[in-house]
């Protein structure tokens, strides 16, 4: 574990470290840890093309809340190993999430862990909760999960993907993300566009694995037994809130919230204080 010398927070220490995934990948983890023992730890699973470093502002909101924030770079993202925008199978994401969860648990053996997933990370988190049913997770927060895209994907592109994914699975396409749809905050958009760790790639195989994972989550979300907050912005032009609502209705202990006039990244939008207050209320911290 490396303690960073540059310290932008007054009451938190920042750590960076690599861990070895059980599938052989090097996984990069960032930690924002309070000076005193935390009441809760949050493990963040980020979205497609981004990385853990984009959650520094998220961590800052918890600076005086006695909450530890941990985030890791997904395989093929940020500083973790792997071909950018590609995965062999979805279980590799799930294994990496479990490895990160074990890492967090080792830091504090008796502190509740909240699993937070955004966009693709929301899908990964839901899949993880269904397939692994980990007792280490106290509750979960799912932000704008990739269940249903807001823009209809071309049928020709789907046919193209199905025909070629077994022949050239690592072939990558542009993910066609309109960065202005992430947030109404121009600073957030500019930082995203100039972030060298961000990429815009998605392989044919990754798209196929995401599609299969979505189908599984839609079919088996009723297996999720822990308390779960799902939220979405009603102006999300990337991922539709309808999919989030559908999943929420299948989870017994779920709370679904739709934020008015909010884009794809609620935690980074102009209404972010409303979003964080909802999170604080859910995890019961002041």
């Amino acid at each position: 574990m490396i303690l960073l010398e540059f310290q932008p927070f007054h009451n938190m220490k920042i750590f960076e470290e690599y861990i070895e995934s059980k599938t052989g990948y090097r996984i990069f983890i960032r930690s924002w840890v309070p000076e005193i023992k935390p009441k809760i730890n949050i493990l963040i699973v980020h979205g497609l093309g981004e990385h853990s470093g984009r959650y520094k502002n998220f961590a800052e909101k918890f600076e005086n809340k006695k909450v530890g924030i941990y985030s890791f770079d997904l395989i093929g993202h940020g500083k973790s190993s792997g071909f950018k925008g590609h995965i062999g199978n979805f279980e590799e994401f799930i294994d990496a999430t479990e490895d990160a969860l074990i890492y967090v648990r080792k830091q504090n053996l008796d502190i509740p862990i909240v699993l937070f997933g955004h966009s693709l990370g929301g899908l990964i988190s839901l899949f993880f909760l269904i397939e692994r049913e980990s007792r280490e997770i106290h509750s979960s927060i799912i932000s704008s999960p990739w269940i249903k895209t807001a823009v209809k994907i071309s049928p020709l592109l789907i046919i193209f993907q199905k025909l070629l994914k077994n022949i050239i699975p690592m072939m990558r396409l542009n993910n066609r993300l309109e960065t202005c749809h992430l947030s109404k905050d121009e600073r957030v958009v500019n930082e995203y566009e100039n972030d060298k760790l961000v990429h815009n790639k998605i392989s044919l195989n990754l798209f196929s694995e995401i599609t299969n994972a979505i189908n599984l989550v839609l079919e088996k979300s009723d297996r999720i037994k822990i308390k779960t907050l799902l939220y979405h912005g009603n102006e999300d032009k990337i991922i539709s809130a309808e999919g989030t609502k559908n999943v929420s209705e299948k989870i017994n202990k779920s709370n679904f919230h739709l934020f008015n006039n909010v884009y794809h990244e609620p935690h980074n939008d102009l209404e972010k204080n409303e979003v964080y207050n909802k999170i604080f209320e859910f995890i019961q911290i002041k």
Side-chain angles (χ1 to χ4, degrees), residues 60-71:
E60 188 175 21
K61 290 292 184 179
F62 292 85
E63 183 176 1
N64 297 308
K65 302 292 185 182
K66 297 180 182 178
V67 176
I69 305 295
Y70 295 81
S71 186

Side-chain angles (χ1 to χ4, degrees), residues 6-247:
F6 176 64
Q7 177 56 274
F9 300 127
H10 296 296
N11 301 314
M12 301 180 89
K13 294 180 180 179
I14 303 175
F15 298 92
E16 294 183 352
E17 186 173 8
Y18 282 96
I19 63 172
E20 295 294 327
S21 170
K22 60 174 64 73
T23 50
Y25 293 98
R26 293 188 77 215
I27 305 299
F28 181 75
I29 293 185
R30 300 177 195 262
S31 311
W32 295 267
V33 182
E35 295 279 2
I36 59 177
K37 187 175 181 178
K39 294 181 178 179
I40 292 175
N41 286 319
I42 298 177
L43 174 62
I44 297 172
V45 189
H46 67 73
L48 178 68
E50 59 166 347
H51 61 93
S52 59
R54 293 195 69 239
Y55 290 82
K56 178 177 76 71
N57 292 333
F58 184 102
E60 188 175 21
K61 290 292 184 179
F62 292 85
E63 183 176 1
N64 297 308
K65 302 292 185 182
K66 297 180 182 178
V67 176
I69 305 295
Y70 295 81
S71 186
F72 67 100
D73 292 351
L74 290 169
I75 296 165
H77 290 75
K79 295 183 178 182
S80 290
S81 62
F83 192 52
K84 296 301 181 188
H86 174 72
I87 199 75
N89 61 75
F90 207 78
E91 287 289 340
E92 292 176 349
F93 280 155
I94 303 306
D95 287 338
T97 302
E98 187 166 59
D99 292 329
L101 178 63
I102 292 170
Y103 174 89
V104 176
R105 174 51 69 216
K106 286 180 178 178
Q107 307 310 307
N108 298 108
L109 297 178
D110 58 345
I111 304 299
I113 299 173
V114 177
L115 183 64
F116 176 98
H118 171 69
S119 197
L120 172 59
L123 175 63
I124 292 169
S125 298
L126 289 167
F127 192 107
F128 184 89
L129 294 173
I130 292 167
E131 289 291 284
R132 299 295 164 96
E133 299 182 354
S134 174
R135 295 181 180 178
E136 298 296 339
I137 299 175
H138 172 268
S139 55
S140 64
I141 302 171
I142 308 297
S143 163
S144 314
W146 185 345
I147 301 296
K148 180 180 180 181
T149 56
V151 178
K152 187 175 181 181
I153 300 173
S154 166
L156 289 177
L157 181 59
I158 294 175
I159 293 172
F160 172 79
Q161 180 267 333
K162 288 182 177 179
L163 288 173
L164 294 181
K165 74 177 182 69
N166 293 324
I167 302 172
I168 43 176
M170 296 178 71
M171 178 180 176
R172 297 179 300 174
L173 304 175
N174 188 301
N175 64 20
R176 300 169 63 198
L177 174 70
E178 295 285 347
T179 56
C180 63
H181 292 163
L182 293 172
S183 169
K184 298 185 298 297
D185 189 332
E186 292 183 3
R187 178 187 57 82
V188 169
V189 174
N190 289 335
E191 286 182 357
Y192 184 93
E193 292 176 343
N194 292 290
D195 191 332
K196 293 182 179 179
L197 289 179
V198 165
H199 69 75
N200 63 356
K201 303 300 182 184
I202 182 169
S203 72
L204 297 181
N205 197 69
L206 175 54
F207 180 79
S208 177
E209 290 295 304
I210 289 172
T211 301
N212 293 337
I214 290 170
N215 291 335
L216 181 140
V217 167
L218 287 172
E219 179 186 351
K220 299 183 179 181
S221 288
D222 59 350
R223 292 187 181 182
I224 298 175
K225 306 302 181 185
I226 64 172
K227 185 175 70 168
T228 303
L229 169 65
L230 299 98
Y231 63 75
H232 216 115
N234 71 338
E235 293 296 328
D236 190 342
K237 299 176 178 64
I238 298 172
I239 302 295
S240 171
E242 182 182 345
T244 306
K245 187 174 185 296
N246 289 342
V247 169

Side-chain angles (χ1 to χ4, degrees), residues 242-254:
E242 182 182 345
T244 306
K245 187 174 185 296
N246 289 342
V247 169
S248 177
E249 290 173 350
K250 297 180 180 183
I251 300 174
N252 185 40
K253 297 181 181 179
S254 72

